[in-house]
Amino acid sequence: MDQAQAAAPQITFDDFLKVDIRVGRILAADPFPQARKPAFKLTIDFGPGIGTKRSSAQITVNHAPEDLVGTLVLAVVNFPPRQIGPFLSEVLTLGVPDANGDVMLIRPDRDVPVGGRLY
């Protein structure tokens, strides 16, 4: 992946507000061998307002399942669910590329309440 990509076209602040990005705690991280690219199936708790959601995440290079359980992540919670092979991914877990283009999860550096919205 090209690390020096040009910025995306400008959007309005109202456009940004349409994207609901919340913090959740990973309850389970399981291998997803049926995925075309190596991935984990994540179960994430976003608190009482949103509940528990599932996500397919291509994060196998930089993250191990046993290290993910209990950690906080950011995810888009208002995209429509997406079928990924036999798995229905309900949220988009967010990350950024490392120097090799492999995904590193975006995570708060301190404990925060689940369900909090990014702003």
Side-chain angles (χ1 to χ4, degrees):
M1 178 178 275
D2 182 7
Q3 301 296 315
Q5 295 177 0
Q10 282 191 347
I11 62 171
T12 67
F13 189 70
D14 287 340
D15 290 335
F16 171 73
L17 290 176
K18 292 176 187 176
V19 181
D20 193 357
I21 299 172
R22 303 289 182 116
V23 63
R25 187 174 307 277
I26 297 176
L27 302 176
D30 300 304
F32 186 12
Q34 301 92 339
R36 275 184 259 180
K37 294 182 181 179
F40 296 136
K41 296 185 287 187
L42 304 179
T43 304
I44 307 169
D45 175 20
F46 292 97
I50 296 168
T52 301
K53 301 290 183 182
R54 295 170 29 130
S55 179
S56 172
Q58 295 173 357
I59 56 173
T60 60
V61 173
N62 288 313
H63 303 283
E66 60 272 14
D67 298 331
L68 292 170
V69 175
T71 63
L72 296 172
V73 293
L74 292 172
V76 176
V77 298
N78 66 334
F79 282 156
R82 185 170 183 179
Q83 192 73 44
I84 308 204
F87 184 77
L88 186 64
S89 189
E90 301 171 292
V91 299
L92 176 64
T93 306
L94 299 176
V96 294
D98 66 10
N100 296 316
D102 298 309
V103 180
M104 293 289 303
L105 288 172
I106 298 174
R107 300 190 266 192
D109 59 1
R110 294 186 185 169
D111 197 37
V112 297
V114 296
R117 186 169 180 169
L118 177 86
Y119 58 83

